Amino acid sequence: MLQTLEGHEDEVMDISFSPDGEMIASASEDKTIKIWIKSTDVKTQWILYKTLAGHEKSVVSVSFSPDSQIIASASEDKTVRLWSKNGDPLNILSGHEQDVINVAFSPDGKLIASASKDHTIKLWDLEKNELKSSSEEHFAEVSAVSFGLDSKTFISSGWDKCVMFWKIDENVPSVIRSERHEAKVYYTTFSPDGETIAVASDDGLITLWNKNYNSKRTFKGHRDSVTKVSFSSDSKTIVSCSLDKTIKLWNCTKKFDGHSK
């Protein structure tokens, strides 16, 4: 272990590196976001820079813009808040009727997608600071959203056991494919190279799809729900965390040739 970051007064719900590698943002049930920056002290690699307060309830998701200049936070207070990298409040995106569970920037930095317990996915125009669209295709809580490299495609997952593949055409998102799982889906994300989609589900499985959504692999090994997955920067390795109290690393460089263990 390199270092332990302490400062939150309640459970930490999410954490994210800035794309430039200079900051870490953490989201907590203590209603705050903390920004951590690199230290000049060799023994202490990261130090607390600022604490962002403003949400009225738990903050459950945090994400950096592609240029590392903006932080988006999603909260159980039904809002998404935008902050500058220096911690200054920029905007509040309101419109969800229930907890906002996940938030993600498009790679071109023009859109934010938010997923909510109200069964909707909302797209927000960052240049105009307004709601672009609201879609209600899921029949239960939407647990995660993630954009493809072209910023015109995204995926969503939900507790309705579905993973949906979306395309944005003339500013209108539509589902081009929907895959149903045997269990509710906690999380889904694109790999950094845009070639692979990883899905984490309540049945302890990790499912990988290729970018054309026509071939998949399944990793088995966790004994309980897989709550989140993340790719390495070279897209060759996946790390997964589970309610079975383990973290597992997986090699995802093999061809899509069926089920893997």
Side-chain angles (χ1 to χ4, degrees):
M1 183 178 66
L2 297 175
Q3 188 181 348
T4 299
L5 304 181
E6 297 180 321
H8 281 294
E9 297 178 359
D10 210 329
E11 294 179 14
V12 180
M13 303 302 293
D14 196 19
I15 194 163
S16 178
F17 264 109
S18 62
D20 63 10
E22 296 298 316
M23 293 175 287
I24 294 173
S26 55
S28 171
E29 286 198 351
D30 64 12
K31 307 177 186 178
T32 71
I33 303 102
K34 291 188 182 293
I35 303 176
W36 312 81
I37 59 173
K38 288 184 176 179
S39 170
T40 56
D41 184 348
V42 177
K43 294 182 179 180
T44 306
Q45 295 190 357
W46 295 90
I47 58 172
L48 179 62
Y49 172 58
K50 278 192 178 179
T51 297
L52 313 184
H55 281 293
E56 297 176 0
K57 293 185 177 181
S58 300
V59 187
V60 294
S61 179
V62 64
S63 179
F64 281 94
S65 61
D67 62 4
S68 301
Q69 298 299 304
I70 299 175
I71 300 166
S73 56
S75 170
E76 292 178 356
D77 65 11
K78 308 176 187 177
T79 70
V80 173
R81 289 180 179 252
L82 303 182
W83 317 78
S84 74
K85 70 174 184 179
N86 296 320
D88 299 320
L90 299 177
N91 199 11
I92 301 175
L93 305 179
S94 301
H96 282 293
E97 296 179 358
Q98 294 187 48
D99 306 3
V100 186
I101 302 302
N102 190 235
V103 63
F105 283 90
S106 61
D108 62 12
K110 295 180 179 180
L111 296 174
I112 283 181
S114 55
S116 171
K117 281 187 177 181
D118 64 13
H119 306 184
T120 70
I121 300 163
K122 295 187 185 297
L123 296 182
W124 308 86
D125 187 322
L126 283 180
E127 295 179 339
K128 297 180 180 179
N129 286 320
E130 64 182 21
L131 181 64
K132 190 181 186 75
S133 68
S134 182
S135 304
E136 190 173 355
E137 297 293 336
H138 284 281
F139 298 102
E141 173 180 326
V142 187
S143 56
V145 284
S146 179
F147 280 95
L149 289 181
D150 61 2
S151 297
K152 294 293 185 182
T153 57
F154 67 92
I155 50 177
S156 64
S157 60
W159 285 20
D160 56 2
K161 305 179 183 180
C162 287
V163 175
M164 295 185 183
F165 307 93
W166 300 74
K167 184 168 184 176
I168 304 172
D169 189 16
E170 296 184 355
N171 297 326
V172 178
S174 58
V175 178
I176 58 176
R177 180 167 181 156
S178 180
E179 291 292 333
R180 187 168 178 82
H181 282 250
E182 295 297 321
K184 64 185 180 184
V185 183
Y186 275 98
Y187 195 75
T188 186
T189 186
F190 272 99
S191 60
D193 63 9
E195 296 294 317
T196 309
I197 296 162
V199 177
S201 52
D202 194 40
D203 53 11
L205 300 179
I206 300 162
T207 304
L208 300 187
W209 288 87
N210 67 1
K211 65 177 181 180
N212 297 317
Y213 324 127
N214 57 17
S215 182
K216 69 177 181 178
R217 297 167 59 198
T218 302
F219 291 136
K220 301 178 180 180
H222 282 293
R223 300 183 302 278
D224 206 336
S225 305
V226 184
T227 55
K228 193 168 184 179
V229 287
S230 181
F231 284 90
S232 59
S233 58
D234 61 8
S235 300
K236 294 181 179 180
T237 305
I238 288 176
V239 60
S240 59
C241 58
S242 169
L243 296 183
D244 67 8
K245 303 179 183 179
T246 68
I247 296 170
K248 295 183 182 292
L249 296 171
W250 311 84
N251 177 4
C252 55
T253 59
K254 296 179 180 180
K255 294 182 179 180
F256 285 77
D257 54 0
H259 294 275
S260 301
K261 293 185 179 181

